[in-house]
Amino acid sequence: MKGQRRSVETSARGCQARCAKVSGCAHFSWWRDGGCHLQDSTASRAAAGTVTAGPPTCDTSVPKPAPRPAPKKAAPAPSNPINELRKRMNANFTKLRKELDATKKQFGSKARTLNDLLRRILAKLNGTMPVPPAPPVAPTPAPPAATSPPATQPPAGKPPGSSDPDAAVWLSQHNYFRCIHNTPEISWDDDVAAGSATWAEKGQMKHAKCYSIPAPRGPSGENLAAGQSDIAGAVTAWYDESPEKGPECGGHCTALLWKKSTALGCSRKNTWNGNRPMYVCRYAKTAANFGSMAEGVNMPDYTKEEACYKKYNPPRRWTAGASSAGTQHDGKVE
């Protein structure tokens, strides 16, 4: 729908409620990964897999027959970890038993109760727990301080050990925006970047099943863009989704700013729409946009913008409030 971007909603009802609030919205579509799209009356029907769709409100104009006396319902069973695990896994008891047995073998001496076992399974499936747990690593001595380049020079080269020549540009633009939101730096990860490069080679504006990607390339959140003139333009297009709203900004913006994501891997390939640039970034360890938005994204502090710009020296600088003024970009995002 013109003027509306894809957002992330926790349920189909939330997506429908958003449609009801937007003038001209005649139809909503909600994907199971949380994606919410709004359409006006000119939209046409198309098959799109497992999607919940409908009008902005439910029609209540048809008279309903007199309700029958409701039978007495048994008291609801108290919430327990198994029910919560069933909802999250969306699978049958056979799959639950396999996960339980596998976790018993892996954490047998550490998991003292059934609840503890189930909690570990849930954390494992959500990507919030390393599998298997990494042994403690002795801290390495800090390297000697290096002299920073002048603020007028663009970022050059690539981080030590990275295989992508554009890694420094991806990092400087991301960490500049994260700095404005008082969010820790994100680091480059070659494994995650390799997965992004494989997807960018396809040249299609369609998300991968990134939350199901096994380690070390996932699980992860994912941002796509195509047609922008450079990397900084693509990253700025993701950020330019009402960032002044913090945790309530758009889905691409929240992925870029996700506090718990510590690994970044991106790629640019000229594979979209006739040799035009395609951009893919993935945010992992832990996957972006998985959990509470309020806990995952900070509000911005635009008084820090100048200091953040001097620190990271990104190719493109942000002007506070640009998104609310209707900034346009030279490509598309997904």
Side-chain angles (χ1 to χ4, degrees), residues 238-307:
W238 294 329
Y239 180 73
D240 190 10
E241 292 181 344
S242 302
E244 69 276 5
K245 295 182 180 180
E248 296 182 3
C249 67
H252 304 99
C253 177
T254 55
L256 188 157
L257 299 172
W258 202 254
K259 291 188 290 186
K260 292 184 180 179
S261 292
T262 59
L264 174 69
C266 305
S267 182
R268 167 181 171 162
K269 302 289 184 182
N270 293 326
T271 55
W272 179 74
N273 197 20
N275 206 36
R276 296 189 67 191
M278 172 85 182
Y279 305 88
V280 179
C281 273
R282 289 179 177 173
Y283 309 87
K285 300 179 184 179
T286 334
N289 284 343
F290 197 99
S292 169
M293 295 295 177
E295 295 178 2
V297 179
N298 289 335
M299 293 295 293
D301 181 2
Y302 286 112
T303 63
K304 298 183 59 178
E305 187 278 334
E306 183 174 358

